[in-house]
Amino acid sequence: MDEIPELTNEFISNLSKRNANEPEFLQAVFEVTEDILPFIEQNPEFKKYKILECMAEPERAILFRVPWINDKGEIEINRGYRIQMNSAIGPYKGGLRFHPSVNISILKFLAFEQVLKNSLTSLPMGGAKGGSDFDPKGKSDTEIMKFCQSFMTELSNHIGPNTDVPAGDIGVGGREIGYMFGQYRRLKREFTGVLTGKGMEFGGSLIRPEATGYGLVYFVEEMLQQKGDSLAGKKIVVSGSGNVAQYAIEKCIEHGATVLTASDSDGYIYDPAGIDKEKLAFIFELKNERRGRIKEYADRYGCEYVEGKKPWNIDCDVALPCATQNELDEEGALELVSNGCLIVGEGANMPSTPGAITVFQQNKVLYAPGKAANAGGVAVSGLEMSQNSMRYSWTKKEVDTKLKEIMKNIHKTCVKYGRQSDGFIDYKKGANIGGFVKVANAMLAQGLV
Ligand code: NDP
Ligand code: 2IT
């Protein structure tokens, strides 16, 4: 840390002061800063125009009240947000998260990551994130619909197909996107591609539900191929059991790997025989239809269930954290390393803590950060926008081929900017510089706006 350029210290201290109550946001920005600072030092224009300082300030942050009435007839008040972080390379784009933990810090970190991620996809999308502290758990379909309608009634004033195009994230899937799309269409009296992740009957893209999980596995396969290896026969540990985890597991099985674990916020299941197609179908039904707990998997298949713990102590070749931020800490990272884990591919956004990342780097574990490895979701969202604009739809095969190509190119970008003198690929550095360059150049070209 002794050769940090002067700019870093000043930048870090100012940013920390201005955002003192936003630990996740600071974590995300610092993690990027350490990689791009030397790059900025070599490019005086970026320094002169304070590009990094600009990027760390949202273009706009919207906060609003979301009142709705629950099934008991009681009034509930939630808080809604949309952080429009950067639109230098395209309309704002990024998911909506409904989870009780949602606050400004979490959404700013997600929006900041989204800017670089969207740039890496090579599609013309700026970055945003939004959501609410609404907790969808245990709510009826009617309550979900009422909440989504109230949320969209205000959000509709701030988004549009050429302005800002939200999608799903934690707690927001096809059902919620459908209700929000319906309300937007009613309010605006127009049918446009204002949201992505829509149902197939009303403008959704094939492969969008699968895209984040599939893209993650395509990326990890590229990492292995770079080493002359492949996923076939590998032992995989997955956290989460939501959208990203489900399709990551599906694609791992297709590649001949054995997935040993899945989890939710209560605990994890460990199935030494591996989650096969039939067991995965049970997870889909459990989580997407009955909205039950992962423990039921262990009850049904007679395997181990570990309450209140993460699966990082399980022996594996590849770890795919697919639940949430900071779910993999230094202790978990040390366990993975001591069990011989070769690769960590982040399906979630910022699941590894800074301490965990240091452990991976010190032990030469190949570590793919979320902004590269989980970019397949937003990439297919970008393809959904293109199809909506053309009033046309591509086949499953066409979208999947484009997704594979995009993940391959992101991998190439990471290798280009992340290759070290000893040949080791620092995917974090590669992704951070690769994502930054295009946005920074676009900002320079457009002047101080
Ligand atoms: P889902 O809501 O479908 O699933 C989330 C999963 O993570 C559930 O298993 C959930 O368990 C678990 N989880 C959520 N919060 C916590 C928590 N605080 N502690 C422990 N477990 C938790 O969301 P997604 O699968 O869509 O999203 C998962 C991750 O992937 C997020 O980090 C998201 O930002 C990221 N991501 C998502 C994309 C997408 O297209 N959907 C694209 C790129 C990244 P439980 O049910 O108990 O809450
Ligand atoms: O974190 C993410 O990239 C997402 N939640 C998907 C965003 C999108 O616009 O598809």
Side-chain angles (χ1 to χ4, degrees), residues 219-419:
F219 193 91
V220 169
E221 185 71 359
E222 286 295 316
M223 294 169 84
L224 282 158
Q225 275 179 19
Q226 174 86 14
K227 291 156 48 85
D229 203 346
S230 84
L231 268 166
K234 293 283 182 295
K235 287 175 291 180
I236 320 280
V237 158
V238 169
S239 69
S241 51
N243 172 268
V244 178
Q246 290 167 13
Y247 288 104
I249 296 173
E250 183 169 283
K251 196 46 90 176
C252 283
I253 298 172
E254 261 179 51
H255 278 261
T258 306
V259 182
L260 301 169
T261 64
S263 72
D264 60 23
S265 53
D266 294 336
Y268 73 89
I269 57 104
Y270 171 40
D271 186 346
I275 301 173
D276 60 19
K277 275 191 178 163
E278 185 221 310
K279 295 169 180 173
L280 180 62
F282 174 76
I283 296 182
F284 271 90
E285 192 265 334
L286 170 72
K287 286 289 172 183
N288 306 347
E289 275 151 57
R290 286 192 288 121
R291 299 178 193 271
R293 310 308 300 156
I294 199 68
K295 180 178 183 299
E296 270 194 49
Y297 179 104
D299 297 340
R300 183 176 170 119
Y301 295 109
C303 71
E304 198 180 335
Y305 171 69
V306 184
E307 197 172 323
K309 291 257 169 13
K310 319 263 184 230
W312 315 127
N313 62 320
I314 304 296
D315 192 339
C316 67
D317 305 302
V318 175
L320 304 177
C322 296
T324 194
Q325 67 276 356
N326 292 328
E327 56 166 321
L328 203 181
D329 61 9
E330 189 176 340
E331 193 190 328
L334 286 167
E335 282 179 315
L336 286 171
V337 167
S338 69
N339 284 329
C341 175
L342 306 166
I343 289 185
V344 176
E346 294 186 336
N349 286 307
M350 205 170 78
S352 307
T353 63
I357 297 172
T358 305
V359 170
F360 299 143
Q361 288 178 329
Q362 283 169 348
N363 290 279
K364 300 268 172 194
V365 171
L366 290 179
Y367 161 71
K371 64 174 73 70
N374 73 33
V378 75
V380 174
S381 276
L383 300 178
E384 183 168 326
M385 289 167 72
S386 304
Q387 293 169 84
N388 292 166
S389 297
M390 291 190 288
R391 302 199 190 286
Y392 188 72
S393 2
W394 290 317
T395 63
K396 217 170 179 167
K397 193 158 170 243
E398 282 171 315
V399 180
D400 197 31
T401 304
K402 288 182 204 298
L403 169 62
K404 262 188 209 149
E405 201 53 37
I406 290 171
M407 297 317 292
K408 224 182 198 163
N409 284 331
I410 298 176
H411 183 267
K412 256 194 214 154
T413 304
C414 291
V415 171
K416 176 178 166 191
Y417 291 107
R419 194 191 289 277

Side-chain angles (χ1 to χ4, degrees), residues 3 23 39 60 88 95 114 128 131 174 192 194 238 244 253 273 343 402 417 423-424 435 437 444:
E3 83 249 76
F39 186 78
R60 193 172 301 102
Q114 199 79 46
T192 60
V194 67
V238 169
V244 178
I253 298 172
I343 289 185
K402 288 182 204 298
Y417 291 107
F424 181 78
V437 172
L444 266 187

Side-chain angles (χ1 to χ4, degrees), residues 93-95 114 117 129 167-169 196 208 349 377-378 381:
K93 180 85 196 85
Q114 199 79 46
K117 183 195 307 192
K129 203 84 186 190
D169 192 76
T196 60
R208 176 62 189 89
N349 286 307
V378 75
S381 276

